[in-house]
Amino acid sequence: MGTLLAAYLSVRMGAEIGFGLVLLVTLFMASVLGFLVAPHVMFALTIPLFALIPAAKLFVSPKVGPVKDLVSLAAIIAAAAVFSVERRPGRRHVLPDNKVLVAVAFILGLYMVNVGGGHDIAWAQGVRLIGEPLLLLVAGFILVDPRRTLRYAIPSLVATACFEATYGLFQQVVGPWWLRGWGYSFAHQLRTYNGHLRSFGTFDETFAYTAFLLFGLVAVIFWMRRGPLAAACGTLLTAGIVVGFVRTAILIFVALVGLWIGRKGNLTSALLVVAAAIAAAFAILVTSAGGSETTKYESRSSSLTLNGRTSAWKAALGDPSTWPLGRGVGIVGTAAQRAEVSLAPGASSGTQARAVDSGYLATIADVGFIGLAVLLALLGRLIGLATAAIRARRDAGWFALGLITVIMIDAVTRASFTGFPTAFLALPLIGVALASAKQIDRLEARDPTLRLRR
C-alpha cells in the first residue's frame, strides 16, 4: 500500500515534490505503524540503526542524519496514538507515571517559552535536542507490551555493543593513519590521549562510543544469565571501554560495581561505593567544569576556550540576574553549535557560538536553576520507580537503574541529556524497563501464582 501510494504521488506530483520525499513520507508512516503494531521489533532495529547512523553520514551521505529524527518522531506519534486510545473508558490504561509526565511537560514548557532568549534557529535546535529524548522516555512508558519490547531490545543492545567494541579494538590495531585513509578525519573522529588513539567505533567521537558500551555492560551485568556468554560479552565490552580512554568511564564503572554489590545483598557497601563515585563525578563538575576536550569557538571579538573552570561556569551562568531561568535556549551549548553549522558555507551569523560540555551546566544555561531542579526531580523520580521495581525483585528495575547511573555521571562532562545517541537510546530504554516492571506487577496481581522477574 505504501509503495503504491509513493508511486502514485510521484507520478501525479513528481515534478513538484520528487519521489525521494514521497518515499521518505512513506517510510515515516511505516515506522509509525511499526511502533504501533510491533514496538519490540522497532526498538530492536532502532538500536543498531542509531549506532550506525554516524558512520553512514560519513561513508554514505550526510543526508542520512535526519533519519534519527524521523524514527524518533514516529515513535512519539505512535505513543501519542496509544495514549489517546488508552484513556478511553474501559481500556487498560497503560500510562506513564504522572510525576514523570508533569516533570517532562514542565521542562519542555520552559524550553518552549524560553524566558532568557528569543525564538530563532538555535532555540529550535535546543527544543528539538531536549524534546525528542524526553518524549522518547514517555513513549517507552506508553507503547504496548513493554515486557516483550525489553526482551527484544536488550539482546539487540548487547549484540550491537559487542560489535562496537570489536570495531573499537580493530581501530587500535590498524592505527589512526590507516583510518585516515578510509575517510576519517583528525579534525573530527581521530583523537589521541597521551599518544594513544581513542577508539570511537562507528560514532563521531569516543565519548558516545564509550557511553554506548557502558549501556551494553549494564545489560550484561543486570540482565544476562551468568555463564560463558555473559563473561565473554562483559570482557569484550570492558576492553572496548578501556581503549576509549575516557576518564569518566572509570567512575561509571565503579558505580556499576557498587550496584552489582547491592544486587548481591550488601546494601551498605553498595551505597558507599556508589556515593563515592557520584561524589567524585560532581567534584569534577565543580573543580574543572568544561568537559573532556578543549574546544575553541570564535566569538565576535576573540576566541573563547571553554575547558577551564572559570570560563565554563561563566559561559553557563552569565549574569546573576539570569540564574533562575537561564540565559536562553541556544545561547551556549550544542544547540548554538548546530545553529552555526546549519548556516550556508561561508556565512557568518555574527553571534557567539560557545559550548559547555556538561549536561548540567548546559541545562542551567538554557533554562536556569529552576530547569535544572526540575530535571533533577525527574531523574530522582526515575530512580524512585527503578528502586520500587528492585524491591519487587524485578530485573528490569536493575537495568533501568544502571542506565540512569550511566547517563547521570556521564552528563557531568558531556551533554548526555541531549546527545545522540546517548539520550536517544538510554531514555526510551529506561521508560520501557520501568513500564515492563509495572506490567509484571499487573500480571502477578491478576494471577497470584505467577512469579516473574523479567
Side-chain angles (χ1 to χ4, degrees):
M1 179 66 71
T3 304
L4 292 175
L5 176 62
Y8 172 77
L9 291 178
S10 180
V11 171
R12 297 288 297 178
M13 306 178 64
E16 300 177 19
I17 61 175
F19 182 77
L21 180 59
V22 174
L23 182 60
L24 188 66
V25 172
T26 304
L27 291 175
F28 172 73
M29 295 172 62
S31 298
V32 173
L33 183 61
F35 278 109
L36 283 172
V37 177
H40 57 288
V41 175
M42 293 300 295
F43 267 95
L45 294 176
T46 296
I47 292 170
L49 173 66
F50 279 10
L52 294 173
I53 280 178
K57 288 167 59 179
L58 178 65
F59 294 114
V60 180
S61 170
K63 296 180 180 180
V64 174
V67 170
K68 70 179 186 299
D69 302 302
L70 182 147
V71 174
S72 300
L73 185 59
I76 293 167
I77 291 177
V82 173
F83 182 82
S84 62
V85 171
E86 294 295 333
R87 287 176 62 88
R88 296 178 180 177
R91 302 296 296 185
R92 51 192 174 88
H93 300 293
V94 181
L95 302 177
D97 181 79
N98 287 334
K99 293 180 181 179
V100 170
L101 275 181
V102 170
V104 169
F106 200 101
I107 294 172
L108 293 182
L110 288 174
Y111 271 82
M112 292 294 293
V113 174
N114 192 23
V115 175
H119 297 81
D120 52 10
I121 296 177
W123 164 80
Q125 289 280 11
V127 171
R128 179 184 68 83
L129 289 171
I130 192 69
E132 288 184 19
L134 288 179
L135 292 176
L136 284 172
L137 167 67
V138 176
F141 275 98
I142 294 175
L143 291 173
V144 298
D145 203 354
R147 183 167 172 247
R148 186 182 188 188
T149 299
L150 192 63
R151 291 204 309 267
Y152 276 71
I154 288 184
S156 176
L157 175 63
V158 173
T160 307
C162 287
F163 167 78
E164 292 290 343
T166 302
Y167 188 38
L169 293 170
F170 174 75
Q171 289 171 338
Q172 292 291 320
V173 174
V174 300
W177 292 103
W178 193 323
L179 294 173
R180 183 177 181 272
W182 291 2
Y184 292 113
S185 168
F186 282 102
H188 296 95
Q189 298 89 2
L190 301 175
R191 305 290 187 183
T192 59
Y193 177 76
N194 289 338
H196 300 284
L197 173 70
R198 310 179 83 162
S199 294
F200 53 91
T202 61
F203 299 94
D204 289 328
E205 37 89 13
T206 189
F207 303 102
Y209 159 82
T210 304
F212 187 84
L213 263 58
L214 285 166
F215 295 159
L217 189 61
V218 168
V220 171
I221 295 174
F222 298 112
W223 189 267
M224 292 185 68
R225 304 292 187 187
R226 300 284 78 83
L229 179 59
C233 291
T235 302
L236 177 60
L237 293 177
T238 302
I241 293 168
V242 169
V243 296
F245 298 101
V246 175
R247 288 166 291 182
T248 312
I250 299 174
L251 299 179
I252 298 175
F253 188 83
V254 171
L256 293 180
V257 170
L259 293 181
W260 179 79
I261 293 173
R263 191 179 187 184
K264 295 298 181 180
N266 301 315
L267 296 181
T268 302
S269 300
L271 288 174
L272 290 175
V273 173
V274 174
I278 294 175
F282 280 91
I284 293 174
L285 176 64
V286 173
T287 59
S288 58
S292 305
E293 301 183 58
T294 299
T295 308
K296 294 185 178 180
Y297 300 95
E298 296 297 325
S299 66
R300 287 192 184 101
S301 58
S302 62
S303 179
L304 179 64
T305 301
L306 294 179
N307 198 47
R309 184 184 315 169
T310 303
S311 57
W313 278 101
K314 183 178 180 181
L317 298 178
D319 188 85
S321 63
T322 66
W323 291 359
L325 293 170
R327 302 183 60 186
V329 178
I331 300 299
V332 299
T334 307
Q337 295 173 256
R338 295 288 180 87
E340 293 292 318
V341 172
S342 66
L343 296 174
S348 177
S349 66
T351 61
Q352 295 180 348
R354 295 177 287 180
V356 175
D357 281 341
S358 167
Y360 299 101
L361 290 180
T363 302
I364 295 173
D366 286 342
V367 289
F369 281 100
I370 292 177
L372 178 63
V374 179
L375 177 62
L376 293 177
L378 172 61
L379 293 172
R381 181 57 182 171
L382 294 176
I383 292 173
L385 293 174
T387 304
I390 289 170
R391 287 198 296 266
R393 302 180 61 82
R394 311 298 183 214
D395 290 341
W398 285 108
F399 176 68
L401 187 59
L403 292 182
I404 296 168
T405 301
V406 173
I407 197 170
M408 286 187 67
I409 298 179
D410 189 61
V412 170
T413 55
R414 305 304 304 166
S416 303
F417 300 133
T418 58
F420 177 82
T422 308
F424 284 71
L425 284 177
L427 291 181
L429 285 175
I430 291 169
V432 169
L434 296 177
S436 174
K438 286 291 185 182
Q439 185 182 16
I440 295 175
D441 290 341
R442 291 193 299 271
L443 291 174
E444 289 191 352
R446 294 174 185 173
D447 185 355
T449 62
L450 290 176
R451 291 293 183 268
L452 302 174
R453 293 179 61 90
R454 55 177 61 184

